[in-house]
Amino acid sequence: MWPGVLVTVAVALPLASIALMRLGSVRMTERHHSRHDTYVVPVAFTRSLVLTMLFMGAMGLFLGWLCSSSVFVADPPEVLAFFDAFIVTTFTLWLVLTRYKVSTFEGHMIVTPFVGHDVTVRYDEIDRMEWVGFRKASGYRDLEVWTNGAHTVRLSALVDLEQILMSIDRFDALPSAS
């Protein structure tokens, strides 16, 4: 029973992610709309996760087949379980990353976080914004936004924070450089 389930996971999750990617909405940053701009995690990054799942699924099946053919002494279910764990983890990461988006409007923004409900932030209610975490490939760190004295949302540096900051236009809420 276990080898069948492991093979199914190695095949089904990469194919499901490809199907969801192809059938889903086009995940690209939408700018210069008359009412809003939307920023998402770059498609090249999420697509690379899907291709990694596909590659690791094929590699797991190939190595599992070699183990069952006695080319290697490892147990095929153990080999498949290792690759399946990687695929499940990557699939979960892909689902979470494709969910994230920031939509900016004239007086507010709506953030769909990695996990949880949408958060609406009115620009005039922002008390402060703080840079936190490590620098991402964009060169920015994440940005914590505080409104009405409480932490409201964390803007990930995976999206185009520079354009989002231009939309917010509240540079007075950023810490001043010493």
Side-chain angles (χ1 to χ4, degrees):
M1 176 189 149
W2 277 107
V5 171
L6 295 173
V7 168
T8 302
V9 169
V11 172
L13 285 183
L15 292 178
S17 62
I18 289 172
L20 288 171
M21 185 176 67
R22 302 265 307 157
L23 297 174
S25 64
V26 177
R27 298 275 311 163
M28 62 188 336
T29 298
E30 303 170 357
R31 293 192 190 139
H32 311 299
H33 285 259
S34 60
R35 291 188 53 237
H36 74 284
D37 296 330
T38 300
Y39 303 92
V40 296
V41 176
V43 176
F45 182 63
T46 56
R47 185 176 298 135
S48 68
L49 291 175
V50 170
L51 293 174
T52 301
M53 282 187 279
L54 190 62
F55 174 77
M56 292 298 278
M59 180 67 73
L61 292 171
F62 179 67
L63 289 176
W65 174 74
L66 288 176
C67 291
S68 68
S69 300
S70 299
V71 173
F72 297 120
V73 294
D75 190 26
E78 290 176 4
V79 172
L80 285 172
F82 170 78
F83 284 94
D84 283 358
F86 181 89
I87 291 168
V88 168
T89 302
T90 307
F91 184 77
T92 304
L93 177 65
W94 176 77
L95 282 176
V96 168
L97 288 174
T98 56
R99 183 179 189 282
Y100 188 81
K101 72 178 176 182
V102 178
S103 297
T104 59
F105 299 87
E106 189 169 322
H108 69 285
M109 69 179 161
I110 300 173
V111 180
T112 303
F114 296 115
V115 178
H117 300 290
D118 288 359
V119 178
T120 301
V121 178
R122 294 193 48 79
Y123 302 146
D124 58 356
E125 293 178 355
I126 295 176
D127 296 331
R128 68 177 195 230
M129 297 184 285
E130 296 177 359
W131 298 106
V132 294
F134 297 104
R135 291 194 189 280
K136 307 285 190 294
S138 65
Y140 289 101
R141 298 185 299 166
D142 292 347
L143 188 64
E144 296 274 351
V145 178
W146 297 71
T147 60
N148 300 321
H151 174 265
T152 305
V153 72
R154 184 176 187 150
L155 300 176
S156 174
L158 291 173
V159 297
D160 194 351
L161 277 183
E162 188 172 352
Q163 290 296 320
I164 294 169
L165 282 171
M166 296 301 284
S167 295
I168 294 174
D169 195 23
R170 284 292 314 274
F171 297 101
D172 60 305
L174 284 169
S176 59
S178 304

Short mmCIF file of all heavy atoms in Angstrom, two decimals, residues 11 76 154 172:
data_model
loop_
_atom_site.label_atom_id
_atom_site.label_comp_id
_atom_site.label_asym_id
_atom_site.label_seq_id
_atom_site.Cartn_x
_atom_site.Cartn_y
_atom_site.Cartn_z
N VAL A 11 3.66 11.92 -8.19
CA VAL A 11 3.11 12.26 -9.51
C VAL A 11 2.01 13.32 -9.40
O VAL A 11 1.99 14.29 -10.16
CB VAL A 11 2.55 10.99 -10.21
CG1 VAL A 11 1.81 11.35 -11.48
CG2 VAL A 11 3.68 10.01 -10.49
N PRO A 76 13.08 1.21 -1.51
CA PRO A 76 12.35 2.14 -2.38
C PRO A 76 11.34 3.03 -1.65
O PRO A 76 11.28 4.23 -1.92
CB PRO A 76 11.66 1.24 -3.40
CG PRO A 76 12.48 0.01 -3.45
CD PRO A 76 13.03 -0.16 -2.06
N ARG A 154 2.29 43.11 7.78
CA ARG A 154 3.69 43.06 7.36
C ARG A 154 3.72 42.92 5.84
O ARG A 154 3.18 41.97 5.29
CB ARG A 154 4.39 41.87 8.01
CG ARG A 154 5.87 41.79 7.71
CD ARG A 154 6.49 40.65 8.48
NE ARG A 154 7.93 40.65 8.34
CZ ARG A 154 8.76 40.21 9.26
NH1 ARG A 154 8.29 39.71 10.38
NH2 ARG A 154 10.06 40.23 9.04
N ASP A 172 6.76 60.16 5.96
CA ASP A 172 6.91 60.67 7.32
C ASP A 172 6.75 59.57 8.36
O ASP A 172 7.23 59.70 9.49
CB ASP A 172 5.88 61.78 7.58
CG ASP A 172 4.45 61.28 7.42
OD1 ASP A 172 4.13 60.73 6.35
OD2 ASP A 172 3.65 61.44 8.37
#
